[in-house]
Amino acid sequence: MQVPVSWLKTFVDIDVPIELLAEKLTLAGLEVAEMTYIGVPQGHVEGIRWPKSEHLIWDRSKLVLGAIHEVKPHPNADRLVMAMVDYGGPELEQTVTGAPNLFEYKGKGVLEKPLWTAFALEGAEVWDGHSDEPKRMVLKEKPLRGIPNRCMVCSEKELGMTEEHDGIILMENDQNFKPGTPLQDVLGDIILTVELTPNLARCFSILGVAREVAALLDKPIKLPSYDTVMEGAGIKGEVTIDIQNADLNPRFTLALLRGTKIKPSPQWMQRRLKAVGQRPINNIVDVTNYITFEIGQPLHAYDFDKLKERTGGKAPTITTRLAKAGETLETLDEQERKLDTHNMLVCDSQGALGIGGIIGGAETEISDSTTNVLLEAANWSFINVRRSMQSQKIFTDAGTRFSRGVHPSQAILGVQRGIELMRQGSGGQVAKGIIDEYPKAAPVVTVDLPVSEVERLLGIAIPAQECAELLKRQNFKVEIKGDSLHVTAPDNRMDIGSEPATGQADLIEEIARIYGYDKIPNTLIEDLTPPQWANTALEREELARDVLVSLGLRENISYRFTSVADEAQLSPEHAPSSEPYITLANPMDVEKNVLRRTLLISLLGNAVNNARYVNRQLTFEIGAVYLPHEGQQLPDEPRRLGLLLTGARGVNNWAGGAPTDNMDFFDLKGVVENLLDGLHIEEASYTRSTHASLHPGRSAQLSIGSTVIGDFGELHPLVSKTFGLTSAPMLVGEFDLDKLLDKVNPNTELVDLPTTPPVLQDIALVVNDETPAATVEAVIIKAGGNLLKSVTLFDVYRGDPIPAGQKSLAYNLVYQTDDKTLKDEEVASVHKKIVKAVERELGAKLRA
């Protein structure tokens, strides 16, 4: 938020350097991210170093306030005029200019009231207003179409205030400055860019920041005037209010201004709006924006005659209600919006006039022909406003404030101040009375705060009287009752909790902020650090992550939200699961309205997005799934591990091209095996999988001992087609992480590297085609005993001369002991034992 110091000073006296003030604000939680200097020099405070900014410093003797008393025609140029300027010198200075906003005064003789402007004398340094690139220039005397000229009346661009160069600055001298007053004292300013977090809703206005400054500097706050001159016929009977949902619209106020005239707003208001990044429009709309930034209460103005036209000349009834299905509204940004049924609307009998708290409708907006203005100041549910902004994809200054929280008490203040500023800036009469519907008054928050609690949380003793004074500086009402403070929060402090625990913590934070975080001394913890207890589940989960990352996989972190229809795509038949889902009552996206039952939907969803940019993906995800059970209030939330591989087996490198063949089932199986090795898990076995999402002939089920851990393999072709992932085999797996990590051996035995040579032999066995290789391997390991160190399958063959219905499995066998070199006869004895075991238990035959 942009905070002009000149505007801030209208509410609080600032007697410290602005750089020091910025430091204090930042320490108090209102981070000043940037300071923009307009015309004034940058200050230097010892111990505080703000980044220096490149800006134009206005010379106090050469850039001054000027008063134009006459605008004469130029004798040699129709597009130039000669302004006669009083700059505090002995006589008027004649300066030639082409400023278009002076032409209406040309040839009218001495003006009844002078035009106040920024005046640059010879030798002054200004920005070149005609250059597209930032360029400085120093004024020197030169003739313009035959007329000597040594001075200049300035535009905002030439002074470095804005990029506006359509005319010179014309201002109101409401502080009665004399001609020749240094321009620094008139228009010089510093803009603070304050980064506000959502919990600082009270500071989304100049007055809100001023309250913080007043508290930090221990200065009184000067509130704006809320007095209103009401001389017109009463508003009663002209319009009525009907609030249909007080929870979403606690308060609604209206005021009426008759006989107004649309014109530019006063220069002082335009300058302030520009300083906070707003574009001036006219004297009615500008007031609504001005009050939004001044006190933080958004306003909306209606053309009252257009409202009456909609109702056939009858007194309109302003109704606030939820939108109906299919309802639409053209908003002020000229967009036709299809409204959601949770959008809170401002309506009349003919339909919607605006989205409550966010934006008005185009049909009743203020125009140049407006003469009667109906001004609204209301209050809205911050949750509803936030939700409507998200669903409608519309973000406004009003919505920003209402979505963070505005107290209902501000509505009456906003409408009173707003309607009076409109009257002052545009004429007309304010109708007597204000219509104020307030069906749901906000509660008064009171908190009892023991002083001992302040010391307990802050670690320092602050006397009760000092605590009270620090809170009173922030407009809290405080009564000291013994060793406790009875505190009543002001209505602008909606961040103070009403419950004792939260309320006390909030108040202690306020005491610490104004006392000064930098004044709280550093102390050592009195107690010894407690012994650390291992979090075994987390440590093992992190170990699994580390192993997978070392294997070249990247971790996905996904939202847990999905839909029943999306998960149905994991079935080849697109059949929705018969199992129940956890349904979200208030989903952020209507298409993501349940909690997932499987990680596969998240993995594949990410794969679809990533496939647009890369052809090779190796990813994993660790996260919860949600399994509700009838009669159980909360669902089970087991952790799952998901794996996904697709694309080429290798990557290109400087030494040559990568293998062009794609990864297959065995690449994924290798990842699983390496994961088990890294986790020191033994007794793994693999059987054919029946998982509906996987290819029936290229998938497996992983078990550790008798515990089924999960399934992995190639994605079913029909499922791949549904997701549009058909360029390469899509390899996925999902495992019960809790069951997997339970099998981790916490006491891993480390052995020395072997010192004896191994004996290597191969064995080829012909077995039934349905016999899993893992079963054959288990029999071999059992029969090999202690001499057999490892078994590796290296070939699978079907075809002549192997009989139909059978296959040949070839294994590398490694025999080795730790204490001696094996003899041939010892190895041969074990080898024969293996052959007999597979023949006996599996009907296998040794391949010739």
Side-chain angles (χ1 to χ4, degrees):
M1 177 175 164
Q2 306 297 104
V3 181
V5 172
S6 61
W7 196 350
L8 200 61
K9 286 181 175 179
T10 63
F11 299 125
V12 59
D13 293 327
I14 299 175
D15 56 2
V16 300
I18 302 304
E19 292 75 17
L20 178 59
L21 175 64
E23 186 81 359
K24 287 180 174 291
L25 285 171
T26 299
L27 289 174
L30 284 75
E31 182 185 355
V32 179
E34 185 179 354
M35 298 174 66
T36 303
Y37 296 81
I38 299 178
V40 298
Q42 185 171 354
H44 298 277
V45 182
E46 187 175 350
I48 298 176
R49 290 183 172 86
W50 283 90
K52 289 187 177 181
S53 57
E54 181 66 23
H55 69 284
L56 177 69
I57 300 175
W58 300 340
D59 190 314
R60 293 184 64 83
S61 63
K62 293 183 173 61
L63 276 166
V64 298
L65 179 67
I68 301 175
H69 287 275
E70 185 177 1
V71 180
K72 297 180 179 180
H74 192 291
N76 303 321
D78 293 336
R79 295 185 179 181
L80 297 175
V81 296
M82 298 183 297
M84 308 303 294
V85 184
D86 179 1
Y87 64 96
E91 58 185 20
L92 299 183
E93 178 73 23
Q94 175 179 285
T95 183
V96 180
T97 177
N101 53 342
L102 287 183
F103 276 65
E104 62 178 292
Y105 305 101
K106 182 173 68 171
K108 293 187 176 181
V110 177
L111 301 175
E112 183 179 348
K113 290 184 178 181
L115 303 175
W116 297 92
T117 188
F119 194 60
L121 299 171
E122 184 177 11
E125 185 180 35
V126 295
W127 292 105
D128 186 347
H130 299 284
S131 174
D132 294 333
E133 299 294 330
K135 180 182 177 182
R136 296 191 185 193
M137 65 179 187
V138 177
L139 294 186
K140 297 179 181 179
E141 181 175 355
K142 66 177 181 179
L144 287 177
R145 298 298 296 270
I147 302 296
N149 190 68
R150 60 179 182 175
C151 302
M152 183 172 72
V153 283
C154 301
S155 68
E156 291 185 1
K157 182 176 181 180
E158 287 157 340
L159 294 179
M161 298 174 68
T162 69
E163 290 299 308
E164 191 169 312
H165 190 57
D166 294 336
I168 65 168
I169 295 173
L170 294 178
M171 69 184 83
E172 298 169 358
N173 188 2
D174 49 6
Q175 298 187 51
N176 296 318
F177 288 114
K178 294 180 179 180
T181 301
L183 200 61
Q184 278 190 14
D185 300 338
V186 182
L187 294 180
D189 207 350
I190 301 175
I191 311 296
L192 307 180
T193 301
V194 183
E195 300 288 350
L196 295 174
T197 52
N199 64 308
L200 292 172
R202 65 185 185 277
C203 297
F204 275 82
S205 65
I206 305 300
L207 180 58
V209 176
R211 287 193 179 100
E212 297 292 314
V213 173
L216 291 169
L217 300 182
D218 196 11
K219 301 285 186 180
I221 192 73
K222 296 180 285 187
L223 297 175
S225 172
Y226 298 109
D227 296 333
T228 306
V229 177
M230 297 182 176
E231 299 174 336
I235 192 175
K236 188 175 181 180
E238 293 280 359
V239 62
T240 56
I241 299 172
D242 177 20
I243 297 175
Q244 295 188 2
N245 191 325
D247 289 330
L248 302 183
N249 177 207
R251 193 172 194 178
F252 201 97
T253 67
L254 291 172
L256 180 61
L257 176 64
R258 298 188 183 96
T260 187
K261 184 177 180 181
I262 303 300
K263 57 183 179 180
S265 56
Q267 289 294 322
W268 66 267
M269 183 177 289
Q270 291 191 41
R271 286 201 305 274
R272 287 182 178 177
L273 288 175
K274 289 177 182 178
V276 295
Q278 294 293 298
R279 178 177 62 88
I281 298 174
N282 59 51
N283 51 352
I284 299 299
V285 176
D286 287 355
V287 168
T288 64
N289 291 329
Y290 183 83
I291 298 299
T292 298
F293 282 88
E294 183 188 53
I295 69 172
Q297 170 63 51
L299 307 178
H300 184 70
Y302 302 90
D303 186 316
F304 188 57
D305 295 321
K306 293 178 181 178
L307 276 175
K308 294 183 74 173
E309 286 177 14
R310 287 169 57 93
T311 57
K314 298 179 181 179
T317 295
I318 302 298
T319 302
T320 62
R321 60 170 174 79
L322 290 170
K324 300 173 183 177
E327 210 166 356
T328 61
L329 171 68
E330 183 184 354
T331 48
L332 287 172
D333 54 2
E334 299 180 348
Q335 291 193 34
E336 185 74 22
R337 298 184 179 275
K338 183 179 179 181
L339 301 173
D340 303 301
T341 54
H342 62 262
N343 297 151
M344 195 65 178
L345 303 181
V346 180
C347 310
D348 62 6
S349 58
Q350 302 304 305
L353 299 171
I355 303 176
I358 302 177
I359 193 170
E363 190 172 344
T364 55
E365 69 176 317
I366 301 299
S367 65
D368 292 342
S369 61
T370 298
T371 57
N372 298 311
V373 176
L374 185 68
L375 181 63
E376 164 207 318
N379 188 261
W380 307 93
S381 162
F382 74 94
I383 294 176
N384 183 267
V385 170
R386 190 179 302 169
R387 184 182 180 193
S388 294
M389 289 173 67
Q390 291 290 339
S391 66
Q392 289 294 330
K393 299 295 185 291
I394 180 171
F395 303 94
T396 62
D397 291 313
T400 297
R401 284 153 181 79
F402 279 128
S403 68
R404 286 163 172 79
V406 178
H407 196 279
S409 64
Q410 299 303 299
I412 190 68
L413 301 178
V415 77
Q416 289 175 172
R417 180 152 175 79
I419 203 71
E420 175 61 18
L421 288 179
M422 288 180 182
R423 184 194 69 81
Q424 293 176 10
S426 59
Q429 289 186 328
V430 177
K432 293 178 180 178
I434 291 175
I435 297 180
D436 182 10
E437 289 292 326
Y438 195 3
K440 190 168 183 178
V444 177
V445 176
T446 60
V447 180
D448 289 315
L449 175 62
V451 178
S452 60
E453 191 69 7
V454 178
E455 183 176 359
R456 188 184 74 83
L457 288 186
L458 296 185
I460 57 173
I462 302 178
Q465 186 62 43
E466 186 175 355
C467 288
E469 291 302 319
L470 291 170
L471 290 172
K472 287 178 180 178
R473 282 160 62 173
Q474 301 176 75
N475 300 312
F476 289 90
K477 294 180 180 179
V478 185
E479 297 178 57
I480 301 178
K481 296 182 177 181
D483 293 331
S484 183
L485 306 179
H486 181 72
V487 183
T488 303
D491 53 22
N492 66 295
R493 295 306 302 268
M494 297 180 67
D495 57 316
I496 305 300
S498 57
E499 296 296 324
T502 56
Q504 290 174 7
D506 291 336
L507 291 178
I508 292 170
E509 179 185 5
E510 296 309 304
I511 292 171
R513 282 195 324 110
I514 306 305
Y515 179 83
Y517 291 132
D518 54 325
K519 295 180 182 177
I520 298 176
N522 295 325
T523 58
L524 294 175
I525 299 175
E526 291 185 0
D527 294 335
L528 295 175
T529 303
Q532 300 298 301
W533 293 90
N535 187 337
T536 303
L538 179 60
E539 290 174 354
R540 292 182 178 181
E541 181 180 312
E542 287 301 309
L543 176 59
R545 282 191 171 92
D546 293 342
V547 172
L548 290 169
V549 170
S550 71
L551 295 173
L553 279 71
R554 294 186 177 185
E555 184 175 7
N556 282 344
I557 299 176
S558 304
Y559 288 117
R560 268 76 163 159
F561 313 131
T562 184
S563 68
V564 176
D566 283 350
E567 286 206 358
Q569 296 181 75
L570 295 173
S571 165
E573 300 81 17
H574 294 180
S577 173
S578 59
E579 299 294 333
Y581 284 83
I582 295 294
T583 303
L584 301 178
N586 185 22
M588 292 189 297
D589 185 341
V590 293
E591 296 182 358
K592 304 292 181 184
N593 58 353
V594 300
L595 294 177
R596 67 189 179 190
R597 292 184 61 92
T598 173
L599 290 189
L600 293 183
I601 190 65
S602 303
L603 288 168
L604 292 174
N606 289 328
V608 170
N609 293 328
N610 293 335
R612 294 180 294 177
Y613 309 105
V614 295
N615 296 323
R616 184 174 186 268
Q617 300 185 51
L618 297 90
T619 62
F620 73 95
E621 179 170 353
I622 293 175
V625 298
Y626 301 86
L627 311 177
H629 297 284
E630 187 176 353
Q632 184 174 307
Q633 184 177 7
L634 296 176
D636 293 338
E637 300 182 25
R639 291 179 298 170
R640 295 283 192 260
L641 166 63
L643 304 176
L644 183 144
L645 278 65
T646 189
R649 180 166 285 118
V651 294
N652 291 326
N653 56 64
W654 65 271
T660 57
D661 55 327
N662 292 316
M663 289 181 280
D664 58 22
F665 167 82
F666 294 102
D667 292 281
L668 180 57
K669 186 171 184 285
V671 170
V672 174
E673 290 173 337
N674 278 283
L675 173 63
L676 297 179
D677 287 342
L679 296 175
H680 309 296
I681 295 175
E682 301 174 350
E683 299 183 14
S685 61
Y686 305 91
T687 56
R688 186 182 297 276
S689 172
T690 58
H691 195 291
S693 300
L694 301 178
H695 192 298
R698 301 173 188 173
S699 57
Q701 184 177 84
L702 169 66
S703 298
I704 308 295
S706 60
T707 304
V708 176
I709 303 300
D711 299 86
F712 65 95
E714 184 177 330
L715 194 65
H716 196 289
L718 295 178
V719 178
S720 295
K721 183 177 180 181
T722 299
F723 283 91
L725 300 169
T726 56
S727 60
M730 184 63 57
L731 308 163
V732 297
E734 184 171 17
F735 308 96
D736 189 317
L737 187 63
D738 294 310
K739 291 182 179 179
L740 180 67
L741 298 181
D742 282 343
K743 299 297 182 180
V744 172
N745 182 1
N747 301 314
T748 304
E749 182 180 353
L750 301 179
V751 297
D752 294 332
L753 292 173
T755 58
T756 59
V759 177
L760 308 179
Q761 287 198 2
D762 296 341
I763 186 172
L765 301 170
V766 178
V767 299
N768 191 293
D769 203 15
E770 299 298 322
T771 303
T775 302
V776 178
E777 183 177 322
V779 174
I780 293 174
I781 292 173
K782 183 179 178 181
N786 294 331
L787 295 186
L788 183 63
K789 290 300 181 183
S790 68
V791 180
T792 305
L793 177 69
F794 70 87
D795 182 61
V796 179
Y797 175 74
R798 295 179 180 85
D800 193 53
I802 306 302
Q806 293 186 321
K807 61 185 175 183
S808 171
L809 302 177
Y811 294 89
N812 290 130
L813 306 182
V814 178
Y815 298 97
Q816 191 175 32
T817 66
D818 298 328
D819 54 359
K820 67 175 184 177
T821 301
L822 291 174
K823 297 180 180 180
D824 290 344
E825 53 268 23
E826 292 176 300
V827 173
S829 175
V830 176
H831 201 73
K832 289 178 182 179
K833 185 177 178 182
I834 290 173
V835 173
K836 289 181 179 180
V838 294
E839 289 178 347
R840 181 176 65 253
E841 297 185 28
L842 303 177
K845 293 182 181 180
L846 193 63
R847 183 178 173 186

